[in-house]
Amino acid sequence: MRKLIKGNYQEVKPIPVGGLTDVPGILVGNAEDKSGRTGCTVILCPHGAVPGVDVSGGSPGTQNTDIIRPGASEYPVYGVLLTGGSFFGLPASGGVMRWIVENKIDDVPLVPAAVIFDLLYAKGVKPPDADMAYAACQAANTGPVIEGNVGAGAGATIGKIYGTPMKGGLGTASIQIPGGPVVAALAVVNALGDIWNQGRIIVGALNSEKKFINQTRAMMEGIPTQLYYMNTTIAVVATTERLTKAEANRVAKLANDGMARAISPNNTQWDGDTIFCLSLGTHTSKMSRDAVVTQVGTAAALALENAIIRGALAAQP
């Protein structure tokens, strides 16, 4: 693997907004291996949440996504796992299930999960397992979410079609709609593409002079691709708005607009981009249901865009 360029890359301060734990009832916990090159992030909602999901990447690594789509059984979700280790990381969900059972929350818990591909960056390191995920559950709390190379963001990288990739990480953001619900997002930014903010690249593939290549433009100029694996941005959006499962799935899909604004190219054949939605249902809007879903989905897209930018900028040296 080519050497990564690491650090806080631009004189652009992360957007000063809150995080996923601003939604009451959500706890976030992280755990990493000793080398700090892979890890997992657990989102717990001990009182249950109505789930939704959007899988838009061409190479997803997921678990329990079909059962949280519309038309499937109406099981609540008490935890979501975001993890490194590619497919090897999926069994770590057993640690989340064990924690939920031991804490007498549910007897047979449904734990959706998604992975990033960090195997080359974490070469020689054991993938996240059930014990690591259990440790993340033990560390989960309602306080401010730590950003950067923590949890599933430990082995994240950004910009891998051309040039030299840079470090990625975990970011989070939230929005309070005046008179309405809280909408928040958490993202593990391990993108194939570059990260954009206000019309310019802030983290991405670098040329030999350590300047941004602009991978989208390079593709349109017909430059052959070089490296196209080690990818996937995975995220959770959550809201206090009371949503049905169908509405939560729609909000997850609308949140993908934020990913598209922050990452280019995204949702490629080499990304497994996946967004989970959790509705904790403490707020009921007086608007029509279509208006509610549109409002919450638009806020989720903005929160996710901000979370991606924050995660990219928070990468540690």
Side-chain angles (χ1 to χ4, degrees):
M1 177 185 173
R2 293 162 292 170
K3 184 178 179 181
L4 295 168
I5 304 298
K6 300 189 271 186
N8 198 356
Y9 316 121
Q10 294 284 301
E11 293 181 1
V12 179
K13 295 182 179 180
I15 298 168
V17 290
L20 195 68
T21 51
D22 289 340
V23 176
I26 283 188
L27 298 81
V28 175
N30 294 301
E32 309 87 32
D33 80 305
K34 293 181 179 179
S35 73
R37 288 186 287 157
T38 192
C40 57
T41 298
V42 172
I43 296 90
L44 298 174
C45 29
H47 300 293
V50 176
V53 67
D54 177 73
V55 182
S56 294
S59 298
T62 59
Q63 178 176 285
N64 289 332
T65 53
D66 284 346
I67 198 170
I68 62 176
R69 298 183 194 277
S73 297
E74 299 288 330
Y75 289 108
V77 163
Y78 298 101
V80 174
L81 173 68
L82 307 180
T83 183
S86 189
F87 298 128
F88 297 107
L90 286 174
S93 63
V96 185
M97 296 175 67
R98 174 157 53 97
W99 187 90
I100 292 171
V101 171
E102 288 181 1
N103 284 271
K104 303 185 185 306
I105 295 170
D106 192 34
D107 293 333
V108 186
L110 170 63
V111 178
V115 304
I116 66 168
F117 191 114
D118 59 358
L119 296 181
L120 291 188
Y121 184 73
K123 189 174 182 179
V125 174
K126 181 182 176 182
D129 58 15
D131 288 340
M132 184 184 289
Y134 186 90
C137 291
Q138 292 286 74
N141 61 82
T142 60
V145 179
I146 300 173
E147 297 176 297
N149 299 128
V150 296
T157 52
I158 295 170
K160 285 158 279 189
I161 307 176
Y162 306 98
T164 302
M166 298 171 74
K167 278 295 281 135
L170 183 151
T172 188
S174 70
I175 294 170
Q176 169 68 68
I177 299 174
V182 177
V183 183
L186 180 149
V188 178
V189 189
N190 187 56
L192 176 81
D194 302 313
I195 308 303
W196 290 72
N197 183 24
Q198 298 181 353
R200 65 189 183 105
I201 299 172
I202 56 171
V203 179
L206 300 173
N207 62 21
S208 59
E209 298 176 349
K210 296 185 179 180
K211 294 182 179 179
F212 293 123
I213 290 173
N214 190 333
Q215 297 180 111
T216 301
R217 183 173 61 197
M219 290 180 71
M220 296 304 98
E221 291 175 351
I223 300 174
T225 61
Q226 299 175 17
L227 180 64
Y228 45 80
Y229 43 89
M230 289 179 50
N231 311 308
T232 297
T233 297
I234 51 181
V236 171
V237 297
T239 180
T240 58
E241 181 64 48
R242 190 184 302 275
L243 301 174
T244 65
K245 180 189 271 191
E247 290 170 341
N249 273 267
R250 186 62 181 173
V251 166
K253 187 173 186 65
L254 289 171
N256 201 281
D257 289 350
M259 192 176 287
R261 290 196 294 264
I263 304 171
S264 181
N266 81 307
N267 293 167
T268 73
Q269 288 296 89
W270 305 302
D271 285 293
D273 298 341
T274 299
I275 303 169
F276 296 106
C277 177
L278 299 173
S279 166
L280 278 76
T282 59
H283 180 272
T284 302
S285 175
K286 296 181 180 179
M287 297 187 297
S288 71
R289 297 314 300 169
D290 287 345
V292 167
V293 171
T294 299
Q295 182 189 55
V296 173
T298 300
L302 182 57
L304 181 54
E305 178 185 10
N306 291 350
I308 289 169
I309 291 168
R310 290 173 64 96
L313 292 176
Q316 302 300 309

